[in-house]
Amino acid sequence: MIRLIGYFFGVATTLGLLVAAAVAVYVGHLAKDLPDYEVLAKYEPPVTTRFHAADGALMAEYARERRLYLPIQAIPDRVKAAFLSAEDKNFYNHPGIDITGLGRAALRYVTGGPTQGGSTITQQVAKNFLLTNEQTIDRKIKEAILSFRIEQAYPKDRILELYLNEIYFGLGAYGIAGAALTYFDKSVNELTISEVAYLAALPKGPSNYHPYKHTDRAIERRNWVIDQMVDNGYVTREEGAKAKAEPLGVKPRRNGTYLFAGEYFTEEVRRQIIARYGENALYEGGLSVRTTLEPKLQRLARKVMQRGLIKYDTLRGYRGPVTTIDVSGDWGKPLSEVKGLSDVPEWSLAVVLDSSDKGLTVGLQPARQDSGALVDERVEGTVAKADMSWAMRYKKDGKTLKAKSPADVLKAGDVVFVEKKDDGDGYLLRQVPEVEGGLVAMDPHTGRVLAMVGGFSYAASEFNRATQAMRQPGSSFKPIVYSAALDNGYTPASVIMDGPITITTGNTTWTPKNYDGRTAGPATLRSGIERSRNLMTVRLANDMGMKLVAEYAERFGVYDHLAPYLPMALGAGETTVMRMVSAYSIMANGGKSIKPSLIDRIQDRYGKTVYKQDDRSCEGCNATEWKNQPEPELIDNSEQVLDPMTAYQITSMMEGVVQRGTAVTISELGYPIAGKTGTTNDEKDAWFIGFTPNIVVGLYMGYDTPKGLGHGATGGGLAAPVFKDFMKTYLVGQPKIDFKVPEGMKLIAINRKTGMRANPGDPGAFIEAFKPGTGPADSYWVIGMGTDGSNGPGGNLSPGAAQAIESGGGGLY
């Protein structure tokens, strides 16, 4: 018996050694092909890129995996406790695997069941980072081997940090910081016990515990996690009971942009980041982009632009409902399916329930809960006839008709836009304007774009009319022409003929006209720009040559290449609002070039600055100690595009546009403001660009498919009031700062009509700015006396003759 027992023992030992050897060979074979766990030391997961406004407000987030990486030191103990309780309560004690759990998983596999359970946090790190999700015994063994190696190579806190930043929580969120924002719109240090427990429940199966699809199951799993936290001593039983009594409280954070009214600006920055660094950097690089956007100015710009577009549009009458639905049953569901304007929260979609001589009864589009379900309550309101009086003039079948009653305009089932009145008593009828426009506000000293409006609504059209729309600037281009003249020998007192002119080139004949069709005879350059005289501008451009005008237009950045044809002097070439505002900023900046910028600074995921808009150098700024040296100064290396004295002269002349000319309505603000109106052929576009010493604001209004805005629709009548509306709010509390007169400039009294030196007591005297070596003419000389624009016979007139011509030439515009 003893020998038999010894025999069987020997056989068993041999078999055991053989099995051990086989297992060792098998494990060794698996271990040979294991991935390098040292890559965890260089772990750089895809991280969310974030855009911030100038005041730090979050504008937008972009990510393929919505993740914000947090070091373990920044993760609260309560969050760690929840995940340890839910996933691996012995994490800080085991060597990387849970032997009991692993044995249980192996047994299920041997008996034909799927491999599950038994994974520690370390094993999950090994699987998520280094292996696949396949459910095989090979993968489990590899996972165990890697877990041992990871535990030996990295401290526990580093492993937990990797885990909490990598795991998927559902709804596109990765990592605990991303999940806290996605589910609760909170930072991790703001989460309650109930909230951290729910997040800790999700990694086991995010879709199984969806907050709306499987609410009961989600609450059950959350409560289990809370119980584990109580059992492990992380929270008291009272705290646990209170947390379990709370609802899930999930408030999903919406994707995309977060700053109200900033959609056009944000999208422009997004395009620039992709152009500069590529899509992967935007969606995975974790960039921090600080933009130039000033939220208060952006909201103001949006408000005044929308107000201007609405005002113009309502004067053209009502074009009809958005759509029509059946209101015989529950009108809430079909109305909820009509798409509104998400970025115009002041407006609501409504369906007409009844229309009469007194007005409309409307039903408001039902709101949706976070789960997406419609709110059961149906809200009704009224639109009085007086609050839709503009719609009594409506269009039908291409004809404009006049209604006697609201019932003639709208009927039951018509879906319309309404806006609640300021006093809360009823609603105003609204419609999305057909006319569009773009606006840019810029700091003229740095080129920082402070606000930008690309249209009435980004939700309706993503096309950015401030940067993408190519439009004719019309007369707003004239300051470029006059700047070229002032920089090349002309003065603001130079006199040009405002009379009929015909230009013949080859077989082509062009006869330009002033906007009002009148002429005024000889007048100074100042008068020409204040009254926006086309004929004077053409003569001036013809006298100095269009090649010079084209050179200055390109120098100012208005065009890349301007064809040297005379019609271009009247703004016939196409450009953008952004380029025009940048050009005016050069004048406001003393003639120094500026580079328009929407981005102040870009930092990578580690906080290192990889781009800075302000590239001025500063010698001595980094001195280690003070040795009575002078204070360091920032060195501005900007190119001098325009003589500083010329910049002041053209600015002074554009002040005249505001004080006496085509934008005189703006003078009511009582601040030093310079600017120029612009109206293109057939009134297709209306422009105004104006500035103070500290801000430049420019805009245009026009149809996307250019067509006439209507007779009398000018830059002074449409665009200038929008600018005025903006500045009226912007200037509140601002000191009145005059435009700085360059040192050495001569201020001389001249006769406003003749441009010659004024005699004491002259009623037409005016103080004009002259450069050193220049001044009022000693004799009266009129540029472009010939009908072809040349200085032909009769160019040198006496003041009396000029007076006679002017008085017989018709009124000024």
Side-chain angles (χ1 to χ4, degrees), residues 555-627:
R555 189 188 295 184
F556 273 86
V558 177
Y559 303 104
D560 292 328
H561 302 286
L562 179 65
Y565 306 129
L566 276 174
M568 297 299 177
L570 299 180
E574 294 182 336
T575 187
T576 66
V577 177
M578 180 69 79
R579 285 191 166 210
M580 288 299 295
V581 171
S582 299
Y584 275 61
S585 293
I586 292 173
M587 303 176 208
N589 192 34
K592 286 188 176 181
S593 67
I594 59 98
K595 182 172 64 175
S597 176
L598 281 70
I599 300 171
D600 273 338
R601 183 180 61 183
I602 302 173
Q603 293 171 282
D604 64 15
R605 66 171 70 207
Y606 303 109
K608 179 183 177 183
T609 298
V610 295
Y611 168 80
K612 187 171 63 172
Q613 188 268 341
D614 188 350
D615 58 0
R616 292 176 295 175
S617 61
C618 180
E619 297 180 5
C621 280
N622 296 320
T624 56
E625 59 181 317
W626 184 61
K627 297 180 179 179

Side-chain angles (χ1 to χ4, degrees), residues 219-410:
I219 292 175
E220 182 182 354
R221 174 70 180 174
R222 180 205 65 179
N223 290 348
W224 177 84
V225 174
I226 294 173
D227 287 338
Q228 294 301 305
M229 294 176 71
V230 172
D231 292 345
N232 294 328
Y234 293 121
V235 297
T236 65
R237 295 201 174 276
E238 291 75 16
E239 290 174 328
K242 182 179 178 181
K244 289 167 66 175
E246 295 176 4
L248 283 179
V250 171
K251 297 177 181 179
R253 190 182 197 184
R254 66 186 181 92
N255 295 326
T257 58
Y258 306 114
L259 188 69
F260 177 63
E263 293 85 358
Y264 283 109
F265 194 105
T266 301
E267 175 59 18
E268 188 67 23
V269 174
R270 188 190 74 87
R271 284 196 290 264
Q272 289 189 14
I273 294 296
I274 290 176
R276 187 185 296 269
Y277 301 110
E279 286 196 9
N280 286 341
L282 175 69
Y283 293 104
E284 298 180 1
L287 301 175
S288 176
V289 182
R290 178 60 65 95
T291 73
T292 61
L293 181 72
E294 295 286 352
K296 288 184 179 179
L297 290 185
Q298 181 64 35
R299 291 192 294 270
L300 174 61
R302 167 194 177 269
K303 180 180 179 180
V304 300
M305 194 68 188
Q306 286 189 345
R307 186 183 294 164
L309 295 173
I310 292 170
K311 181 179 180 181
Y312 171 86
D313 188 70
T314 54
L315 292 175
R316 270 68 193 167
Y318 190 59
R319 294 185 300 278
V322 176
T323 186
T324 301
I325 63 173
D326 181 10
V327 292
S328 58
D330 179 11
W331 46 265
K333 188 174 187 304
L335 181 59
S336 70
E337 296 171 355
V338 181
K339 186 178 179 181
L341 299 178
S342 58
D343 58 344
V344 188
E346 302 92 337
W347 291 13
S348 302
L349 278 170
V351 62
V352 176
L353 301 176
D354 182 59
S355 58
S356 65
D357 291 344
K358 294 182 179 179
L360 309 173
T361 300
V362 296
L364 279 295
Q365 188 178 55
R368 288 190 179 274
Q369 300 172 349
D370 291 334
S371 62
L374 291 177
V375 174
D376 292 334
E377 183 182 3
R378 298 291 179 262
V379 178
E380 296 184 7
T382 59
V383 179
K385 181 178 180 180
D387 295 325
M388 58 175 290
S389 58
W390 62 273
M392 294 295 100
R393 185 169 176 261
Y394 67 103
K395 295 183 178 181
K396 187 175 183 180
D397 299 328
K399 297 180 180 179
T400 300
L401 306 174
K402 191 166 184 179
K404 296 180 180 178
S405 164
D408 297 334
V409 182
L410 292 164

